[in-house]
Structure formats: structure tokens, C-alpha cells
């Protein structure tokens, strides 16, 4: 969840990102070791205002400070930009939302003219104030100099005994600082996660939004409720995706590509008019145009398949290249191999690429025909236009155009 928040924050090109952490924070820091982040420990934990106090030495006193939450992962760049703009003009910008059931949430209090006067937490609110439907989301942006001046003035004279960040709003009002209260574009942007159940519900909201965007861009989804995008999926025109497909890492589907039911695609590119048939797992690599992969095929990392390649049912390809028009249609394993153009690999063929200590390369040149149940013991080269008879074990190079059988 925190990584979602950090990535969104980075999209705004900030000068610095500071994460305030507490219980279990060492594990959080360890997950971000490779990223340039500032860290501030809150121990003990005395409320949101106290948390931001810990970050003051890291954020300084100039520019604008934007406050986000690690357990509210789906906030969008557009909504945050609506906060940063007013803050850059010297205002206090506070994200609020009107909800049907505000129970448990801080209420936004306005005067008769509609101007914001304060935010009151529910435990400190009067019965009348609890009828207010406009709630505090917690997201805000303000000039850092103002924040640095307000935070030391916070007190913990409330039902929780905590230092509420929301109290700075009343301070801004007292100083006649203009307060903007934009709303999120979507309700799910400001939903926090406190349980596995809430996490699952928010994930469904997220997937529905991704599906909506894909369909708006012209992607045909057989059922928008049955797609899982767990990374970054980009699609060109006329792409079709069947049910229960999972996309992980960075996946790109070119124009006219079709993905059958129950496929998993991870960190790969799929060429124009290529069809991935049901129950296929593509894990890395690239697939050219007009190819046909599956059903029940497995493409492993380091694989590059050219245009018009056919990889059929129960075929596994690992760290190999296939030239244009080559085929391995049934029950085969091709690993650490270079396969030329217009090659046909028969059912049950395997490349024996591992000798127990090292991996070796198999080279199959253009227009080779390999019969069923063949073993190619690497390192070995099959010359251009050669024929390998069914049931043959090949352990030495084959000359171009020859026939090999045993």
C-alpha cells in the first residue's frame, strides 16, 4: 500500500518524500532500501499532529508540504494536484468529502456563510455536529512555513489525549488564511485500510476503475469484474481480453492482440494480432506479430518469439529465440535455444540443456524439421534444412540438409 502512495507522490516531482514510521517500521524501511526517501520515527505515537512534528527537521520551512497516508493507497495525482495548487498560492488546502454515513470520522464545521471554521473529531463532537455529513479525509497541503509555525502550538486537550493535525485548520482561520476544500474525484481514493476485508474491498474498487479505463480506451473485456491488473497494463487498439486474466509487472498488448480466458501475463510484450489462448502463462520476454500461443503453454523469461510463431499446448519455452514462422505445437520443452525461421518441432521434443553443472545452447537453423520424441543434447547445432527422425537422440552437430535417425 505504501508503495502505491510513494509512486503517486513521485508523480508530482517533489523535492523530498519523508515517511513517518512507528511500530514495525524497520520492516517498512527495509522494503524501500533502494529508494531515495527521508525517514522520521514517531515513538511514542501521540496522534497525527505529533507524527508530522517528527518530519519537520526533514522537510524544512520553505515551499509546500503535502500530507498523505500510507494506509490510503488509491489517492490520485489529479486530486493531489488540486491541493498543491492552492497551497502554492499561500492557502491551506484540505481535502474533504460528503458521505452518507460519517460515523467515526472527523466533521468539517462551516459558518452560516459556508466558510470552513474547524474540524472536530467525532469523540469530541456535539450531537448536532455529528449530523454533519462533510468529513475530513486527512489529506492537506499548505505552505511549509505556516505548518512549521502551527505545529508547536498544538495541544492534546481532547478525548483522545492526542495532538490533532486537524487543529491547524482553526489556526489558519484565526489568521485569516484562506482555506480551500476540494473533493476527491472518486470516493475510493480516500478509503483507508485497517483489515484484510477492507483491503479486499478496496482492491475490487481499484480493479473496477482500471477495467473502466481500459474499456474507455477501447479494450474489449469479456467481463470487467473478472480481470486482475497487478502492475501496469498498456493496450493499443482492438485488444480483447477474456475472463479471469491476471497481468503482473509491465505488460503491453499491441493492436489486435487477443488474450484467452485464465491466462497470466507478466513483464512481457505481445505483438499485433497475436493470440494468447486459454490457460497460458507468459512470464517475461516478447512475442511478435501474428503469433499463436497456447493453450496451456508456458513462456519463461528471456524468450523472444518472432512473427507468426506457433507455440502449442503443453509446450514450455525458456531463454530461447524463435524465428519467423517456426512452430512447436505439442508437448515439448525448448530451453536455452536459438531456433531459426520456418522450423517445425514435433511433439515430445526436448532440449537437454543442463548437464548438472552448466547450461548449454542448442542451435536449430532455418527450415529444420524435427520429428516426434526427439532429444537434442546441448551443446549441439542442427544445420539448415536438416531432418531429424522421430525418436532420435542427437548429441553431435548435424550437417545442413541431412537426415538423422537412430
Amino acid at each position: 500500500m505504501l508503495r502505491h502512495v510513494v509512486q503517486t507522490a513521485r508523480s508530482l516531482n517533489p523535492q523530498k518524500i519523508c515517511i513517518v514510521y512507528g511500530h514495525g517500521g524497520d520492516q517498512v524501511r527495509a522494503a524501500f532500501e533502494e529508494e531515495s526517501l527521508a525517514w522520521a520515527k514517531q515513538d511514542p505515537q501521540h496522534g497525527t499532529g505529533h507524527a508530522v512534528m517528527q518530519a519537520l527537521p526533514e522537510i524544512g520551512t520553505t515551499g509546500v508540504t503535502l500530507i498523505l497516508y500510507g494506509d490510503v493507497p488509491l489517492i490520485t495525482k489529479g486530486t493531489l494536484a488540486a491541493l498543491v495548487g492552492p497551497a502554492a498560492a499561500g492557502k491551506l488546502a484540505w481535502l474533504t468529502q460528503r458521505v452518507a454515513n460519517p460515523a467515526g470520522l472527523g466533521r468539517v464545521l462551516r459558518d452560516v456563510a459556508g466558510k470552513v471554521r474547524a474540524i472536530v473529531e467525532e469523540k469530541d463532537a456535539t450531537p448536532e455536529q455529528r449530523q454533519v455529513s462533510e468529513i475530513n479525509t486527512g489529506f492537506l497541503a499548505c505552505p511549509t512555513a505556516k505548518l512549521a509555525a502551527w505545529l508547536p502550538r498544538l495541544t492534546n486537550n481532547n478525548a483522545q489525549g492526542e495532538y490533532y493535525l486537524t487543529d491547524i485548520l482553526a489556526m489558519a482561520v484565526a489568521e485569516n488564511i484562506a482555506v480551500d476544500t476540494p473533493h476527491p474525484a472518486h470516493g475510493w481514493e480516500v478509503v483507508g485500510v485497517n483489515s484484510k476485508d477492507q483491503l479486499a474491498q478496496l482492491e475490487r474498487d481499484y480493479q473496477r476503475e482500471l477495467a473502466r479505463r481500459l474499456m474507455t480506451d477501447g479494450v474489449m473485456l469479456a467481463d470487467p469484474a473478472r480481470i486482475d491488473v497487478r502492475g501496469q497494463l498498456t493496450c493499443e487498439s482492438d485488444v480483447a481480453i477474456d475472463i479471469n486474466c491476471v497481468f503482473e509487472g509491465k505488460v503491453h498488448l499491441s493492436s489486435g492482440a487477443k488474450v484467452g480466458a485464465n491466462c497470466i501475463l507478466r513483464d512481457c510484450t505481445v505483438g499485433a494480432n497475436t493470440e494468447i489462448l486459454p490457460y497460458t502463462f507468459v512470464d517475461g520476454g516478447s512475442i511478435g506479430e501474428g503469433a499463436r500461443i497456447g493453450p496451456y503453454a508456458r513462456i519463461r523469461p528471456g524468450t523472444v518469439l518472432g512473427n507468426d510463431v506457433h507455440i502449442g499446448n503443453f509446450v514450455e519455452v525458456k531463454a530461447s529465440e524463435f524465428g519467423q514462422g517456426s512452430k512447436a505445437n505439442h508437448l515439448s520443452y525448448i530451453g536455452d535455444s536459438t531456433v531459426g525461421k520456418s522450423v517445425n518441432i514435433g511433439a515430445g521434443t526436448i532440449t537437454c540443456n543442463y548437464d548438472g553443472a552448466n547450461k548449454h545452447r542448442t542451435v536449430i537453423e532455418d527450415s529444420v524439421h524435427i520429428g516426434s520424441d526427439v532429444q537434442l543434447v546441448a551443446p549441439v547445432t542442427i544445420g539448415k534444412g536438416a531432418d531429424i527422425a522421430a525418436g532420435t537422440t542427437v548429441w553431435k552437430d548435424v550437417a545442413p540438409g541431412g537426415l538423422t535417425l537412430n
Side-chain angles (χ1 to χ4, degrees):
M1 290 192 295
L2 180 58
R3 192 170 298 280
H4 274 281
V5 178
V6 170
Q7 289 173 345
T8 303
R10 287 199 189 284
S11 71
L12 297 169
N13 298 315
Q15 293 181 349
K16 180 181 285 189
I17 297 176
C18 179
I19 297 176
V20 181
Y21 68 102
H23 176 72
D26 292 339
Q27 292 176 303
V28 177
R29 291 194 66 166
F32 288 85
E33 282 184 349
E34 298 179 359
E35 300 200 30
S36 177
L37 299 168
W39 297 85
K41 189 171 185 178
Q42 185 190 17
D43 185 20
Q45 297 171 12
H46 291 313
T48 52
H50 181 254
V52 180
M53 288 180 197
Q54 314 315 302
L56 275 181
E58 294 289 345
I59 62 180
T61 58
T62 61
V64 168
T65 294
L66 174 66
I67 295 175
L68 313 176
Y69 295 85
D71 62 351
V72 187
L74 299 188
I75 193 73
T76 63
K77 178 181 178 181
T79 294
L80 295 181
L83 292 171
V84 173
K91 299 179 181 180
L92 172 60
W94 210 293
L95 194 68
T96 70
Q97 184 184 29
R98 294 192 181 276
V99 297
N101 180 15
L105 303 170
R107 309 302 204 277
V108 178
L109 305 182
R110 297 179 181 269
D111 61 21
V112 293
K115 292 184 178 180
V116 175
R117 309 310 297 171
I119 293 174
V120 60
E121 297 300 322
E122 181 171 69
K123 289 187 177 181
D124 301 302
T126 66
E128 183 182 15
Q129 290 170 341
R130 291 178 184 179
Q131 300 305 308
V132 174
S133 64
E134 187 178 11
I135 58 96
N136 163 43
T137 70
F139 291 89
L140 67 98
C142 71
T144 306
K146 288 293 184 183
L147 185 65
W150 292 331
L151 287 174
R153 293 162 52 192
L154 294 176
T155 67
N156 64 345
N157 185 24
N158 53 62
Q160 295 285 82
E162 296 183 345
Y163 296 90
Y164 292 155
L165 184 61
T166 50
D167 288 347
I168 70 171
L169 193 149
M171 297 178 189
V173 171
E175 295 179 19
N176 293 317
I177 302 294
V179 179
D180 271 18
T181 55
H183 300 314
H186 308 279
W188 44 257
E189 291 186 54
V190 293
V191 175
V193 175
N194 295 300
S195 68
K196 296 285 177 52
D197 178 60
Q198 290 175 339
L199 179 60
Q201 290 181 46
L202 191 59
E203 178 66 23
R204 283 300 94 210
D205 289 337
Y206 176 62
Q207 293 297 334
R208 277 193 295 270
E209 173 61 14
L210 292 179
R212 184 195 65 79
R213 293 179 194 172
L214 288 169
M215 291 186 293
T216 298
D217 292 340
V219 176
M220 177 67 72
L221 299 181
D223 184 347
R226 289 187 284 176
I227 180 174
D228 257 308
V229 180
R230 301 177 184 175
Q232 179 182 343
L233 172 63
T234 56
C235 300
E236 296 179 10
S237 61
D238 299 319
V239 166
I241 300 173
D242 210 331
I243 62 169
N244 299 331
C245 291
V246 177
F247 300 90
E248 300 178 344
K250 292 185 177 180
V251 177
H252 179 77
L253 304 179
S254 300
S255 179
K258 292 180 174 60
V259 181
N262 303 293
C263 291
I264 300 174
L265 275 66
R266 175 190 297 154
D267 290 320
C268 62
T269 60
V270 176
N273 301 310
T274 284
E275 186 173 6
I276 310 296
L277 278 72
Y279 296 97
T280 292
F281 183 11
V282 181
D283 183 9
S286 66
I287 301 172
E289 299 179 0
R292 183 179 172 88
I293 313 298
Y296 295 98
R298 183 182 181 192
I299 308 301
R300 293 174 59 188
T303 295
V304 178
L305 305 180
N307 296 343
D308 303 313
V309 164
H310 288 190
I311 302 296
N313 45 284
F314 303 105
V315 174
E316 179 179 351
V317 183
K318 188 267 293 184
S320 299
E321 298 89 42
F322 271 62
Q324 182 172 359
S326 290
K327 301 176 181 179
N329 276 325
H330 315 282
L331 302 157
S332 296
Y333 168 70
I334 309 298
D336 298 290
S337 301
T338 300
V339 179
K341 299 177 181 178
S342 302
V343 171
N344 188 80
I345 297 174
T349 294
I350 63 170
T351 56
C352 308
N353 55 315
Y354 183 53
D355 63 7
N358 298 296
K359 299 288 181 69
H360 300 282
R361 199 85 184 160
T362 296
V363 177
I364 303 172
E365 296 182 348
D366 295 349
S367 303
V368 167
H369 181 274
I370 297 175
S372 300
D373 195 25
V374 168
Q375 299 84 47
L376 304 175
V377 183
V380 68
T381 297
I382 310 301
K384 182 177 181 180
D387 287 283
I388 309 298
T392 298
T393 298
V394 180
W395 66 90
K396 61 182 180 180
D397 291 353
V398 174
L403 171 64
T404 300
L405 55 88
N406 59 20

PDB file of all heavy atoms in Angstrom, residues 317-337:
ATOM      1  N   VAL A 317       8.840 -22.881 -23.172  1.00  0.00           N
ATOM      2  CA  VAL A 317       9.979 -22.257 -23.847  1.00  0.00           C
ATOM      3  C   VAL A 317      10.681 -21.359 -22.840  1.00  0.00           C
ATOM      4  O   VAL A 317      10.054 -20.509 -22.207  1.00  0.00           O
ATOM      5  CB  VAL A 317       9.534 -21.435 -25.069  1.00  0.00           C
ATOM      6  CG1 VAL A 317      10.762 -20.858 -25.785  1.00  0.00           C
ATOM      7  CG2 VAL A 317       8.708 -22.289 -26.022  1.00  0.00           C
ATOM      8  N   LYS A 318      12.009 -21.547 -22.704  1.00  0.00           N
ATOM      9  CA  LYS A 318      12.766 -20.766 -21.729  1.00  0.00           C
ATOM     10  C   LYS A 318      14.042 -20.227 -22.369  1.00  0.00           C
ATOM     11  O   LYS A 318      14.801 -20.958 -23.005  1.00  0.00           O
ATOM     12  CB  LYS A 318      13.103 -21.651 -20.518  1.00  0.00           C
ATOM     13  CG  LYS A 318      13.723 -20.911 -19.330  1.00  0.00           C
ATOM     14  CD  LYS A 318      15.233 -20.899 -19.338  1.00  0.00           C
ATOM     15  CE  LYS A 318      15.828 -22.257 -19.127  1.00  0.00           C
ATOM     16  NZ  LYS A 318      17.331 -22.197 -19.038  1.00  0.00           N
ATOM     17  N   ALA A 319      14.270 -18.913 -22.213  1.00  0.00           N
ATOM     18  CA  ALA A 319      15.523 -18.279 -22.657  1.00  0.00           C
ATOM     19  C   ALA A 319      15.887 -18.686 -24.081  1.00  0.00           C
ATOM     20  O   ALA A 319      17.024 -19.064 -24.373  1.00  0.00           O
ATOM     21  CB  ALA A 319      16.661 -18.619 -21.698  1.00  0.00           C
ATOM     22  N   SER A 320      14.909 -18.618 -24.983  1.00  0.00           N
ATOM     23  CA  SER A 320      15.110 -19.061 -26.361  1.00  0.00           C
ATOM     24  C   SER A 320      14.545 -18.049 -27.338  1.00  0.00           C
ATOM     25  O   SER A 320      13.659 -17.259 -26.998  1.00  0.00           O
ATOM     26  CB  SER A 320      14.446 -20.424 -26.589  1.00  0.00           C
ATOM     27  OG  SER A 320      15.017 -21.406 -25.749  1.00  0.00           O
ATOM     28  N   GLU A 321      15.078 -18.103 -28.573  1.00  0.00           N
ATOM     29  CA  GLU A 321      14.548 -17.264 -29.655  1.00  0.00           C
ATOM     30  C   GLU A 321      13.985 -18.168 -30.749  1.00  0.00           C
ATOM     31  O   GLU A 321      14.603 -19.159 -31.121  1.00  0.00           O
ATOM     32  CB  GLU A 321      15.641 -16.371 -30.250  1.00  0.00           C
ATOM     33  CG  GLU A 321      16.257 -15.385 -29.279  1.00  0.00           C
ATOM     34  CD  GLU A 321      17.446 -15.968 -28.537  1.00  0.00           C
ATOM     35  OE1 GLU A 321      18.273 -16.661 -29.150  1.00  0.00           O
ATOM     36  OE2 GLU A 321      17.534 -15.732 -27.313  1.00  0.00           O
ATOM     37  N   PHE A 322      12.792 -17.774 -31.234  1.00  0.00           N
ATOM     38  CA  PHE A 322      12.170 -18.470 -32.354  1.00  0.00           C
ATOM     39  C   PHE A 322      12.071 -17.500 -33.521  1.00  0.00           C
ATOM     40  O   PHE A 322      11.522 -16.394 -33.382  1.00  0.00           O
ATOM     41  CB  PHE A 322      10.756 -18.937 -31.983  1.00  0.00           C
ATOM     42  CG  PHE A 322      10.684 -20.306 -31.367  1.00  0.00           C
ATOM     43  CD1 PHE A 322      11.311 -20.575 -30.163  1.00  0.00           C
ATOM     44  CD2 PHE A 322       9.986 -21.330 -31.999  1.00  0.00           C
ATOM     45  CE1 PHE A 322      11.231 -21.827 -29.580  1.00  0.00           C
ATOM     46  CE2 PHE A 322       9.911 -22.596 -31.422  1.00  0.00           C
ATOM     47  CZ  PHE A 322      10.547 -22.851 -30.211  1.00  0.00           C
ATOM     48  N   GLY A 323      12.561 -17.923 -34.686  1.00  0.00           N
ATOM     49  CA  GLY A 323      12.450 -17.098 -35.876  1.00  0.00           C
ATOM     50  C   GLY A 323      11.058 -17.135 -36.478  1.00  0.00           C
ATOM     51  O   GLY A 323      10.197 -17.938 -36.080  1.00  0.00           O
ATOM     52  N   GLN A 324      10.839 -16.320 -37.462  1.00  0.00           N
ATOM     53  CA  GLN A 324       9.515 -16.165 -38.069  1.00  0.00           C
ATOM     54  C   GLN A 324       8.974 -17.501 -38.598  1.00  0.00           C
ATOM     55  O   GLN A 324       9.663 -18.254 -39.276  1.00  0.00           O
ATOM     56  CB  GLN A 324       9.572 -15.162 -39.211  1.00  0.00           C
ATOM     57  CG  GLN A 324       8.214 -14.918 -39.868  1.00  0.00           C
ATOM     58  CD  GLN A 324       8.259 -13.776 -40.858  1.00  0.00           C
ATOM     59  OE1 GLN A 324       9.287 -13.145 -41.061  1.00  0.00           O
ATOM     60  NE2 GLN A 324       7.127 -13.496 -41.490  1.00  0.00           N
ATOM     61  N   GLY A 325       7.703 -17.752 -38.246  1.00  0.00           N
ATOM     62  CA  GLY A 325       7.002 -18.901 -38.799  1.00  0.00           C
ATOM     63  C   GLY A 325       7.359 -20.242 -38.207  1.00  0.00           C
ATOM     64  O   GLY A 325       6.861 -21.277 -38.660  1.00  0.00           O
ATOM     65  N   SER A 326       8.180 -20.277 -37.170  1.00  0.00           N
ATOM     66  CA  SER A 326       8.554 -21.559 -36.568  1.00  0.00           C
ATOM     67  C   SER A 326       7.466 -22.039 -35.621  1.00  0.00           C
ATOM     68  O   SER A 326       6.697 -21.252 -35.074  1.00  0.00           O
ATOM     69  CB  SER A 326       9.894 -21.436 -35.846  1.00  0.00           C
ATOM     70  OG  SER A 326      10.931 -21.285 -36.793  1.00  0.00           O
ATOM     71  N   LYS A 327       7.427 -23.393 -35.425  1.00  0.00           N
ATOM     72  CA  LYS A 327       6.336 -23.973 -34.656  1.00  0.00           C
ATOM     73  C   LYS A 327       6.840 -25.062 -33.711  1.00  0.00           C
ATOM     74  O   LYS A 327       7.714 -25.859 -34.075  1.00  0.00           O
ATOM     75  CB  LYS A 327       5.293 -24.597 -35.594  1.00  0.00           C
ATOM     76  CG  LYS A 327       4.677 -23.618 -36.575  1.00  0.00           C
ATOM     77  CD  LYS A 327       3.735 -24.335 -37.543  1.00  0.00           C
ATOM     78  CE  LYS A 327       3.140 -23.349 -38.549  1.00  0.00           C
ATOM     79  NZ  LYS A 327       2.234 -24.030 -39.505  1.00  0.00           N
ATOM     80  N   ALA A 328       6.246 -25.063 -32.514  1.00  0.00           N
ATOM     81  CA  ALA A 328       6.397 -26.184 -31.584  1.00  0.00           C
ATOM     82  C   ALA A 328       5.010 -26.363 -30.988  1.00  0.00           C
ATOM     83  O   ALA A 328       4.636 -25.698 -30.024  1.00  0.00           O
ATOM     84  CB  ALA A 328       7.433 -25.882 -30.518  1.00  0.00           C
ATOM     85  N   ASN A 329       4.230 -27.239 -31.574  1.00  0.00           N
ATOM     86  CA  ASN A 329       2.795 -27.256 -31.294  1.00  0.00           C
ATOM     87  C   ASN A 329       2.354 -28.180 -30.177  1.00  0.00           C
ATOM     88  O   ASN A 329       1.227 -28.065 -29.696  1.00  0.00           O
ATOM     89  CB  ASN A 329       2.030 -27.612 -32.573  1.00  0.00           C
ATOM     90  CG  ASN A 329       1.803 -26.388 -33.454  1.00  0.00           C
ATOM     91  OD1 ASN A 329       1.602 -25.284 -32.944  1.00  0.00           O
ATOM     92  ND2 ASN A 329       1.846 -26.576 -34.763  1.00  0.00           N
ATOM     93  N   HIS A 330       3.213 -29.149 -29.741  1.00  0.00           N
ATOM     94  CA  HIS A 330       2.699 -30.123 -28.784  1.00  0.00           C
ATOM     95  C   HIS A 330       3.780 -30.603 -27.817  1.00  0.00           C
ATOM     96  O   HIS A 330       4.838 -31.048 -28.246  1.00  0.00           O
ATOM     97  CB  HIS A 330       2.140 -31.374 -29.490  1.00  0.00           C
ATOM     98  CG  HIS A 330       1.271 -31.084 -30.671  1.00  0.00           C
ATOM     99  ND1 HIS A 330      -0.038 -30.684 -30.548  1.00  0.00           N
ATOM    100  CD2 HIS A 330       1.536 -31.129 -32.004  1.00  0.00           C
ATOM    101  CE1 HIS A 330      -0.540 -30.495 -31.755  1.00  0.00           C
ATOM    102  NE2 HIS A 330       0.382 -30.758 -32.654  1.00  0.00           N
ATOM    103  N   LEU A 331       3.531 -30.520 -26.524  1.00  0.00           N
ATOM    104  CA  LEU A 331       4.216 -31.327 -25.513  1.00  0.00           C
ATOM    105  C   LEU A 331       5.733 -31.303 -25.635  1.00  0.00           C
ATOM    106  O   LEU A 331       6.389 -32.346 -25.639  1.00  0.00           O
ATOM    107  CB  LEU A 331       3.726 -32.783 -25.626  1.00  0.00           C
ATOM    108  CG  LEU A 331       2.225 -32.992 -25.463  1.00  0.00           C
ATOM    109  CD1 LEU A 331       1.782 -34.271 -26.123  1.00  0.00           C
ATOM    110  CD2 LEU A 331       1.863 -33.002 -23.990  1.00  0.00           C
ATOM    111  N   SER A 332       6.316 -30.112 -25.689  1.00  0.00           N
ATOM    112  CA  SER A 332       7.763 -30.003 -25.878  1.00  0.00           C
ATOM    113  C   SER A 332       8.376 -29.034 -24.876  1.00  0.00           C
ATOM    114  O   SER A 332       7.691 -28.163 -24.322  1.00  0.00           O
ATOM    115  CB  SER A 332       8.084 -29.533 -27.299  1.00  0.00           C
ATOM    116  OG  SER A 332       7.658 -30.480 -28.255  1.00  0.00           O
ATOM    117  N   TYR A 333       9.699 -29.186 -24.654  1.00  0.00           N
ATOM    118  CA  TYR A 333      10.461 -28.234 -23.852  1.00  0.00           C
ATOM    119  C   TYR A 333      11.625 -27.731 -24.682  1.00  0.00           C
ATOM    120  O   TYR A 333      12.474 -28.520 -25.135  1.00  0.00           O
ATOM    121  CB  TYR A 333      10.991 -28.874 -22.567  1.00  0.00           C
ATOM    122  CG  TYR A 333      12.004 -27.983 -21.884  1.00  0.00           C
ATOM    123  CD1 TYR A 333      11.599 -26.798 -21.276  1.00  0.00           C
ATOM    124  CD2 TYR A 333      13.358 -28.290 -21.886  1.00  0.00           C
ATOM    125  CE1 TYR A 333      12.521 -25.946 -20.681  1.00  0.00           C
ATOM    126  CE2 TYR A 333      14.291 -27.459 -21.292  1.00  0.00           C
ATOM    127  CZ  TYR A 333      13.865 -26.278 -20.694  1.00  0.00           C
ATOM    128  OH  TYR A 333      14.776 -25.435 -20.121  1.00  0.00           O
ATOM    129  N   ILE A 334      11.659 -26.422 -24.885  1.00  0.00           N
ATOM    130  CA  ILE A 334      12.741 -25.792 -25.640  1.00  0.00           C
ATOM    131  C   ILE A 334      13.400 -24.775 -24.719  1.00  0.00           C
ATOM    132  O   ILE A 334      12.818 -23.734 -24.398  1.00  0.00           O
ATOM    133  CB  ILE A 334      12.215 -25.092 -26.916  1.00  0.00           C
ATOM    134  CG1 ILE A 334      11.332 -26.038 -27.732  1.00  0.00           C
ATOM    135  CG2 ILE A 334      13.385 -24.549 -27.729  1.00  0.00           C
ATOM    136  CD1 ILE A 334      12.051 -27.270 -28.228  1.00  0.00           C
ATOM    137  N   GLY A 335      14.618 -25.074 -24.258  1.00  0.00           N
ATOM    138  CA  GLY A 335      15.321 -24.194 -23.337  1.00  0.00           C
ATOM    139  C   GLY A 335      16.699 -23.829 -23.841  1.00  0.00           C
ATOM    140  O   GLY A 335      17.390 -24.650 -24.465  1.00  0.00           O
ATOM    141  N   ASP A 336      17.109 -22.579 -23.597  1.00  0.00           N
ATOM    142  CA  ASP A 336      18.442 -22.087 -23.978  1.00  0.00           C
ATOM    143  C   ASP A 336      18.753 -22.438 -25.436  1.00  0.00           C
ATOM    144  O   ASP A 336      19.802 -23.016 -25.750  1.00  0.00           O
ATOM    145  CB  ASP A 336      19.508 -22.692 -23.058  1.00  0.00           C
ATOM    146  CG  ASP A 336      19.292 -22.289 -21.612  1.00  0.00           C
ATOM    147  OD1 ASP A 336      19.505 -21.105 -21.278  1.00  0.00           O
ATOM    148  OD2 ASP A 336      18.878 -23.147 -20.815  1.00  0.00           O
ATOM    149  N   SER A 337      17.835 -22.039 -26.307  1.00  0.00           N
ATOM    150  CA  SER A 337      17.950 -22.431 -27.712  1.00  0.00           C
ATOM    151  C   SER A 337      17.780 -21.236 -28.637  1.00  0.00           C
ATOM    152  O   SER A 337      17.116 -20.257 -28.298  1.00  0.00           O
ATOM    153  CB  SER A 337      16.893 -23.489 -28.067  1.00  0.00           C
ATOM    154  OG  SER A 337      17.050 -24.640 -27.262  1.00  0.00           O
TER     155      SER A 337
END
